[in-house]
Amino acid sequence: MNTAIPQQHRTAESVSAENVRFMTGVYKWMTFGLALTGYIAYSLSQNEQLVMQLVTNQLLFYGMIFAQLGLVVYLSARISKMSATQATIIYLAYAALTGVTFSTIFLVYTKDSIQSVFFLTSFAFAGLSTFGFLTKRDLGPIGTFCHMGLYGIIGFSILSIFFPSMLGGQMGTIFSLVGVVVFAGLTAYDTQKIKNSNIIGNEGTAENHKETISGALTLYLDFINLFLMLLRLMGNRK
């Protein structure tokens, strides 16, 4: 039985405090996922021969890409029907698998530029997410616009698999700039959406933990995609 106190019987201060604790949990799990991804990516990059084998084995490489996509879709679609533990395990499995595929960027970009872009992304993400959390303005229109841009990015990326030259030269720069704008907007919008989706009074429950994991996954995806777009723009290639 749900014995939570209805939101209308709570003070504004208690609601605000619970939202802060909820978002702290979201950021904690997002950060943990990023740390896991970074650790695995960097550790594997120390064995360049192993990473080269991963890149040259296209069946394995694209198999992992599709496995990542499958985990995200499965977690997003089924999280309400799975346990909090299952949701956490799938999220961490996705972060770990992303770390494996991310090890390949060390073959293309210098370690210093990867580190520099990561810190730039961290500062930008912190500012954008803070804005999304604090602003009273409805960011729904921005979210709608950015989602339209996201569909365009996905479509363009699929076409580039068959026509790699599409991502070269000026078109590649434009693609990355659009990507930065889209994922910057989504970071602010998703933060506001996640905060507003928090069910007041659910704190400490399994449902609350699943909401936290779902929010962490969303912001994790915003962060890594913003990072990749900035890396394409600013990263120093070997």
Side-chain angles (χ1 to χ4, degrees):
M1 178 181 298
N2 185 2
T3 59
I5 301 174
Q7 183 172 347
Q8 60 267 29
H9 297 310
R10 292 173 176 264
T11 64
E13 291 77 10
S14 67
V15 171
S16 178
E18 187 168 330
N19 276 330
V20 169
R21 290 193 294 271
F22 171 71
M23 290 303 296
T24 299
V26 170
Y27 290 129
K28 179 187 73 174
W29 280 104
M30 183 205 77
T31 302
F32 188 80
L34 289 172
L36 179 61
T37 297
Y39 175 77
I40 292 176
Y42 182 77
S43 297
L44 289 178
S45 73
Q46 302 306 296
N47 189 336
E48 190 169 314
Q49 184 178 2
L50 178 63
V51 179
M52 282 297 299
Q53 290 177 349
L54 171 63
V55 173
T56 54
N57 188 333
Q58 292 192 346
L59 182 62
L60 176 61
F61 183 74
Y62 284 107
M64 287 194 296
I65 295 294
F66 284 114
Q68 287 177 248
L69 179 61
L71 285 174
V72 169
V73 172
Y74 181 74
L75 180 58
S76 300
R78 303 285 298 178
I79 192 168
S80 62
K81 298 182 179 179
M82 64 180 66
S83 70
T85 300
Q86 288 175 319
T88 304
I89 291 173
I90 293 174
Y91 168 67
L92 294 178
Y94 171 74
L97 194 55
T98 301
V100 176
T101 56
F102 262 42
S103 65
T104 60
I105 67 176
F106 287 89
L107 296 176
V108 181
Y109 300 96
T110 65
K111 291 180 181 179
D112 287 342
S113 68
I114 292 173
Q115 184 180 50
S116 298
V117 173
F118 177 82
F119 283 120
L120 174 62
T121 306
S122 299
F123 286 122
F125 181 92
L128 291 162
S129 193
T130 299
F131 170 75
F133 181 80
L134 295 177
T135 185
K136 303 299 182 182
R137 177 185 175 187
D138 179 16
L139 299 181
I142 293 177
T144 300
F145 174 80
C146 289
H147 276 109
M148 291 174 61
L150 177 60
Y151 298 142
I153 289 173
I154 293 172
F156 194 87
S157 299
I158 293 173
L159 285 175
S160 70
I161 295 175
F162 304 99
F163 306 100
S165 60
M166 291 177 62
L167 286 178
Q170 189 174 7
M171 283 300 297
T173 301
I174 294 173
F175 173 81
S176 300
L177 286 170
V178 171
V180 168
V181 172
V182 166
F183 289 108
L186 285 176
T187 296
Y189 166 75
D190 285 334
T191 299
Q192 185 181 75
K193 182 180 178 181
I194 292 166
K195 183 188 75 171
N196 292 339
S197 71
N198 179 34
I199 301 175
I200 300 300
N202 251 11
E203 191 172 19
T205 66
E207 289 303 314
N208 180 260
H209 183 73
K210 289 193 290 183
E211 290 173 23
T212 300
I213 293 298
S214 178
L217 174 64
T218 298
L219 293 184
Y220 172 97
L221 291 170
D222 289 338
F223 185 100
I224 62 172
N225 281 293
L226 181 60
F227 167 73
L228 288 174
M229 293 299 176
L230 286 171
L231 188 63
R232 284 181 55 86
L233 278 175
M234 306 175 64
N236 294 323
R237 293 177 178 265
K238 291 183 175 179

